[in-house]
Amino acid sequence: QCQLSGLWRNDQDSLMEILTVGNDGDFQGKYLTCVTLAGGCARVSPLKGTQQQPGEGGWPTFAFTVRWDMFSNATTTFAGQCFVDADGKEMLSTMWLLREAVGSLEEDWKATR
């Protein structure tokens, strides 16, 4: 069974720490992205999420939101599922959606990636 709490590193060298997952599936943590327009890593940003409690032997699905603190006027939401591979290594498979603030409704088309 996969446990979300702990320290995770993605293939872009960003780091995420998920603190204890509550009985209701809610969790908090920190995210340090190393994918920035300026290059290098940004400041640590807070995250909040929830995990669907898995059934017997199931792989949990989850979602979390990162509020990019002090370096971007954007928010990113991730949704995914936790797996254990053949070697026993826990892996998170996620998709993300980033929303940047824009100055007008006419610019809305370019605000989401």
Side-chain angles (χ1 to χ4, degrees), residues 4 21 24-29 47-51 62-65:
L4 282 183
V21 178
D24 60 357
D26 290 351
F27 59 86
Q28 295 185 36
L47 71 82
K48 290 184 181 183
T50 191
Q51 170 186 296
F62 58 89
F64 62 89
T65 300

Side-chain angles (χ1 to χ4, degrees), residues 5-106:
S5 57
L7 188 62
W8 298 89
R9 178 185 305 272
N10 71 13
D11 54 357
Q12 301 295 316
D13 283 332
S14 296
L15 293 173
M16 174 177 70
E17 182 179 19
I18 295 178
L19 305 175
T20 304
V21 178
N23 290 335
D24 60 357
D26 290 351
F27 59 86
Q28 295 185 36
K30 300 177 239 176
Y31 199 102
L32 174 64
T33 185
C34 289
V35 180
T36 63
L37 293 176
C41 295
R43 293 184 177 166
V44 172
S45 296
L47 71 82
K48 290 184 181 183
T50 191
Q51 170 186 296
Q52 179 67 33
Q53 302 295 41
E56 182 80 21
W59 308 111
T61 59
F62 58 89
F64 62 89
T65 300
V66 178
R67 184 188 76 229
W68 302 115
D69 232 6
M70 298 192 211
F71 75 93
S72 175
N73 192 7
T75 302
T76 303
T77 299
F78 295 78
Q81 189 169 4
C82 189
F83 296 99
V84 177
D85 70 12
D87 296 325
K89 181 179 178 183
E90 294 175 322
M91 299 189 77
L92 303 181
S93 177
T94 63
M95 296 289 291
W96 56 269
L97 188 65
L98 180 137
R99 177 66 188 217
E100 292 181 287
V102 292
S104 69
L105 183 58
E106 291 75 29

